[in-house]
């Protein structure tokens, strides 16, 4: 019985995929044969990334929308359904972070981070699940974080949203599993993305990450992509409700 990691014939929507982890996941899924809908709020960025994938001989389309605006993404998904059908794979990757000491952490910032990192994932999953249930096959992959397992100062909204996202993953896994739809999470550790540029530029924080990570370095975005492809593939058909940590061993260490 050969392991099937290919995604041929699948339509994958990856939110926040014009850069960082989302782009690495979109590239990897396209290379595995998926038709990939590249998403961000910026139409030009999506178009530019579709050009890169098309130039590599892959199937891709731009699907710009704001994942926090229900009408916006409903219209985009209706357009997608018209032209290409409903997504077989949804990667809830779009996310935000706000860092401030508790006493200075504003309510508006709290709500913004919860809205994009958790509420948008619920609303998009609810929207896309209908088509997956109809087909009797689907993959929802939530990009959580090791901040779903631990916490650190100054990021209460991010930590809470990522803990919540793993809870949402389990809730949807049990509700959608009977319909052939699996729902899993990835818990990335500290990766070299735009979200972390200022952390990487801080010599003290950089040294702390390298010191606390058994592999001694930050992760590269493409190093998360393989786990996403696995969860999206038929090789992971019996993986449901799981949260796979990809952190170089950081949370395994004392
Ligand atoms: C931070 C970082 C982390 C990482 C990542 C860890 O401020 O602590 O941004 O949260 O980005 O999410 O999984």
């Amino acid at each position: 019985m050969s392991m099937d990691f290919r995604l041929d014939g699948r339509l994958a929507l990856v939110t926040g995929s014009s850069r960082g982890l989302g782009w690495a996941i979109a590239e990897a899924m396209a290379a595995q044969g998926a038709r990939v809908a590249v998403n961000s709020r910026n139409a030009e960025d999506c178009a530019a990334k579709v050009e890169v994938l098309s130039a590599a001989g892959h199937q891709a389309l731009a699907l710009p929308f704001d994942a926090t605006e229900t009408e916006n993404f409903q219209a985009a998904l209706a357009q997608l359904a018209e032209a290409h059908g409903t997504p077989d794979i949804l990667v809830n990757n779009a996310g935000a972070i706000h860092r401030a000491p508790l006493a200075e952490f504003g309510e508006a910032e709290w709500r913004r981070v919860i809205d994009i990192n958790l509420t948008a994932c619920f609303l998009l999953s609810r929207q896309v699940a209908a088509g997956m249930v109809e087909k009797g096959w689907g993959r929802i992959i939530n990009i959580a974080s090791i901040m779903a397992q631990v916490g650190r100062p100054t990021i209460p909204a991010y930590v809470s949203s990522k803990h919540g996202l793993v809870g949402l993953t389990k809730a949807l896994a049990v509700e959608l599993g009977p319909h052939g739809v699996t729902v899993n999470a990835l818990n990335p550790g500290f990766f070299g993305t735009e979200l972390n540029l200022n952390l990487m530029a801080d010599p003290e924080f950089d040294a702390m990450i390298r010191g606390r990570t058994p592999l001694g370095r930050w992760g590269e975005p493409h190093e998360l992509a393989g786990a996403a492809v696995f969860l999206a593939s038929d090789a992971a058909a019996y993986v449901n409700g799981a949260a796979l940590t990809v952190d170089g061993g950081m949370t395994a260490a004392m």
Side-chain angles (χ1 to χ4, degrees), residues 46 129 166 183 216 228:
C46 293
V166 172
V183 187

Side-chain angles (χ1 to χ4, degrees), residues 32-227:
Q32 288 300 103
R35 177 193 298 275
V36 174
V38 175
N39 162 261
S40 78
R41 287 174 298 177
N42 183 304
E44 289 76 45
D45 291 351
C46 293
K49 290 303 184 186
V50 166
E51 284 212 0
V52 172
L53 293 177
S54 307
H58 303 319
Q59 305 168 73
L61 62 116
L63 197 71
F65 61 78
D66 180 338
T68 64
E69 297 293 335
T70 307
E71 264 141 54
N72 190 218
F73 74 65
Q74 282 179 337
L77 284 169
Q79 257 178 16
L80 181 70
E82 195 75 23
H84 300 285
T86 53
D88 305 294
I89 300 162
L90 169 64
V91 181
N92 283 311
N93 166 76
I97 196 164
H98 179 74
R99 302 182 182 101
L102 179 58
E104 298 154 34
F105 202 103
E107 180 176 343
E109 286 71 26
W110 166 275
R111 291 182 184 278
R112 182 178 65 86
V113 172
I114 297 291
D115 200 22
I116 184 155
N117 291 5
L118 183 55
T119 306
C121 297
F122 162 72
L123 293 173
L124 264 173
S125 300
R126 183 183 67 175
Q127 179 88 21
V128 171
M132 294 176 174
V133 166
E134 211 175 297
K135 294 182 209 175
W137 195 98
R139 295 283 190 276
I140 297 175
I141 299 164
N142 293 320
I143 308 303
S145 163
I146 55 168
M147 295 301 159
Q149 300 164 239
V150 294
R152 82 175 187 84
T154 76
I155 54 170
Y158 188 88
V159 173
S160 305
S161 69
K162 294 302 187 179
H163 275 71
L165 187 54
V166 172
L168 177 65
T169 298
K170 293 172 184 172
L172 297 187
V174 298
E175 185 157 349
L176 297 175
H179 304 283
V181 180
T182 67
V183 187
N184 294 288
L186 289 177
N187 286 348
F190 285 83
F191 278 72
T193 63
E194 280 184 42
L195 194 83
N196 290 331
L197 285 180
N198 54 349
L199 298 179
M200 299 172 80
D202 174 343
E204 219 174 284
F205 196 94
D206 178 57
M208 182 273 286
I209 295 296
R210 292 176 188 281
R212 293 217 21 211
T213 306
L215 292 190
R217 60 180 177 81
W218 295 69
E220 296 286 324
H222 72 269
E223 292 177 313
L224 185 73

